[in-house]
Amino acid sequence: MAELSRFFNSVTGDERTYQAEDFAQFFQNVLGNGFFEGLEVSAENTTNIIVAPGAGFIEGHEYTNTTSLTLVHDPADATNDRIDRIVLRLNRDIEERNIKAFVKKGETSSNPTPPALTRNNYVYEISLAQVRITAGKSYIDSSQITDERGDNRVCGRVQVARRVGDQINTVDIKPVTARPEDYSEGISQFYMSGRDQADIFQGWLDSIGINPGKYGRSLESLRAYVHTIGNRTNTGVQTVTLFAWDWNNNYEIYGEFKRANNAVSSNIEWGQWQENQIIVEQGSNSNGEYVRYSNGVQECWGNPFSLQTSTSVGALYRSDPRQWTYPKEFASTSDLVVMGDIRSFDRWVTVSTIDTTQASVSAMGVYNSSAAYTTMLYAKGRWR
């Protein structure tokens, strides 16, 4: 084991020399692989493609293309397509020591796939684009190019190094009691697990006023991201996004909560939490439309239908009761409200019985009428 410290000037009797790999190792502590800007691949309507000026970064080594670069594809097969890739290839072999752009040729097939990227101790490739070489076609147009710069699996934009990100999600976790001054200036974030950081996570939920049972989940099954933006003189905003960890629950987002202050500085307190309601599900069917919100509220609208006020009830008249089945079931009737409207001065809607799946509604009026009046229905309650 050894302690390393670098980089320092040489002095007489204590020379300090460094290799390129020392600098590459240092930069890998800061930046991940990908492209900085530019490097878009475009067609020339020949067998050539053009790589635009731009810059990239691979395993601690920087690449810059200062002018439009032309690359040439091999001719198309007469029968089958193939998929080539335009790659930036870091080659650390002693005879090469460079990063260059290449056409990586694929195999012809009735169902072609792009060539795999080489990533080992000597060669590391990132893909800028796929180019489908169409059988029998003598030129390449823009429809044959698929931009891969945004795909983190094969390229992606240069970001904070993965090793730094992993540390953020383990070392930088803060309790909800952390004051604004405890956060770094700019943007910071961390991830919390109800399983791995139960005590800290529970503190955040208590501060917001959330019981996991509200969502029908246990603390262990919840996860959250805490995202903070601020500086020393202007407003800081903190956002907590609460979600399910498992794919069986479709990684459902249960809520987004925000608080703010006027600076990430000393003697400043956070403001009150406010929930940013999110639509988690919406749809329609033969019974109407519905919307479900992250705070557990559900709204339903019935498809309009017609009612007649032709049955005498004392001095008034009513329609026969009609059952409205909600487009989506409610969790309970304890706070469920159902109401209706008829666009007429002397007619209205009454609701006699309700349950979690349907309501019995009637039209009322002051006159006996066999005319059909359009009836609108609305219900609001909780879906969890």
Side-chain angles (χ1 to χ4, degrees):
M1 300 295 291
E3 291 183 300
L4 301 176
S5 55
R6 52 198 176 188
F7 301 93
F8 298 95
N9 292 332
S10 294
V11 296
T12 302
D14 184 10
E15 293 186 354
R16 306 291 180 93
T17 59
Y18 305 100
Q19 299 295 320
E21 65 185 34
D22 296 316
F23 291 94
Q25 185 182 68
F26 165 73
F27 286 121
Q28 286 182 79
N29 288 329
V30 183
L31 300 175
N33 296 327
F35 80 107
F36 286 109
E37 51 88 24
L39 303 180
E40 180 180 8
V41 175
S42 60
E44 197 182 50
N45 291 324
T46 64
T47 56
N48 302 341
I49 58 90
I50 305 297
V51 179
F57 189 81
I58 305 177
E59 298 292 272
H61 299 271
E62 188 265 348
Y63 168 83
T64 298
N65 177 33
T66 60
T67 59
S68 295
L69 176 66
T70 300
L71 297 177
V72 182
H73 291 262
D74 286 349
D77 183 71
T79 306
N80 290 317
D81 291 0
R82 74 171 191 271
I83 298 175
D84 295 346
R85 264 185 161 137
I86 307 303
V87 302
L88 291 186
R89 180 181 299 155
L90 164 67
N91 193 331
R92 285 174 281 209
D93 186 87
I94 193 64
E95 301 299 326
E96 296 290 339
R97 292 169 292 127
N98 56 39
I99 299 176
K100 291 186 176 182
F102 289 90
V103 173
K104 187 161 190 174
K105 186 177 179 180
E107 298 290 335
T108 57
S109 170
S110 58
N111 185 26
T113 58
L117 299 177
T118 302
R119 293 178 175 179
N120 56 42
N121 290 334
Y122 292 95
V123 174
Y124 195 104
E125 296 174 335
I126 62 175
S127 179
L128 302 179
Q130 294 182 21
V131 182
R132 191 176 187 101
I133 306 301
T134 305
K137 191 173 180 179
S138 62
Y139 66 95
I140 298 167
D141 60 44
S142 60
S143 68
Q144 297 167 246
I145 298 175
T146 301
D147 192 344
E148 292 197 293
R149 291 175 300 166
D151 188 340
N152 290 322
R153 296 168 299 178
V154 297
C155 183
R157 193 175 294 278
V158 174
Q159 302 281 356
V160 173
R162 177 64 183 269
R163 65 189 68 180
V164 176
D166 289 343
Q167 288 289 305
I168 288 173
N169 290 332
T170 55
V171 178
D172 292 357
I173 297 175
K174 291 179 172 58
V176 71
T177 54
R179 296 169 60 85
E181 64 190 273
D182 296 328
Y183 289 88
S184 59
E185 196 165 6
I187 298 175
S188 61
Q189 66 181 18
F190 58 84
Y191 168 86
M192 289 188 298
S193 163
R195 179 191 61 197
D196 300 329
Q197 294 90 26
D199 290 343
I200 294 177
F201 203 143
Q202 187 63 60
W204 283 88
L205 296 184
D206 290 344
S207 172
I208 297 170
I210 294 175
N211 183 334
K214 172 183 177 181
Y215 308 115
R217 305 306 301 276
S218 65
L219 176 64
E220 187 178 79
S221 66
L222 297 180
R223 302 291 184 267
Y225 261 105
V226 180
H227 184 88
T228 306
I229 305 174
N231 60 47
R232 300 301 171 198
T233 57
N234 296 323
T235 299
V237 175
Q238 188 167 72
T239 303
V240 177
T241 304
L242 189 67
F243 58 97
W245 73 273
D246 52 332
W247 67 268
N248 288 324
N249 283 279
N250 200 31
Y251 306 108
E252 182 179 350
I253 295 178
Y254 294 119
E256 184 178 84
F257 307 88
K258 293 178 177 289
R259 64 180 180 177
N261 58 61
N262 70 351
V264 283
S265 183
S266 60
N267 301 318
I268 299 295
E269 299 292 344
W270 289 106
Q272 295 295 313
W273 288 108
Q274 299 177 45
E275 183 170 3
N276 181 26
Q277 292 186 24
I278 300 171
I279 294 177
V280 298
E281 184 182 349
Q282 60 184 338
S284 63
N285 53 42
S286 60
N287 298 319
E289 300 179 3
Y290 69 93
V291 177
R292 286 182 165 179
Y293 301 95
S294 56
N295 65 353
V297 171
Q298 175 173 292
E299 294 180 293
C300 291
W301 294 264
N303 288 328
F305 54 79
S306 298
L307 294 175
Q308 301 171 337
T309 56
S310 56
T311 300
S312 175
V313 184
L316 300 175
Y317 298 87
R318 67 167 174 80
S319 69
D320 292 332
R322 178 162 177 173
Q323 295 299 117
W324 173 41
T325 300
Y326 316 127
K328 204 72 170 179
E329 184 177 0
F330 288 90
S332 72
T333 60
S334 60
D335 51 7
L336 177 57
V337 176
V338 181
M339 61 186 69
D341 179 50
I342 293 178
R343 304 295 169 81
S344 175
F345 174 74
D346 49 12
R347 283 168 178 73
W348 62 95
V349 174
T350 62
V351 180
S352 55
T353 59
I354 63 173
D355 60 32
T356 58
T357 61
Q358 61 183 2
S360 179
V361 299
S362 300
M364 299 293 296
V366 297
Y367 301 110
N368 184 345
S369 175
S370 60
Y373 289 89
T374 300
T375 304
M376 317 291 288
L377 294 173
Y378 171 78
K380 183 176 181 180
R382 301 193 66 82
W383 63 276
R384 66 178 176 203

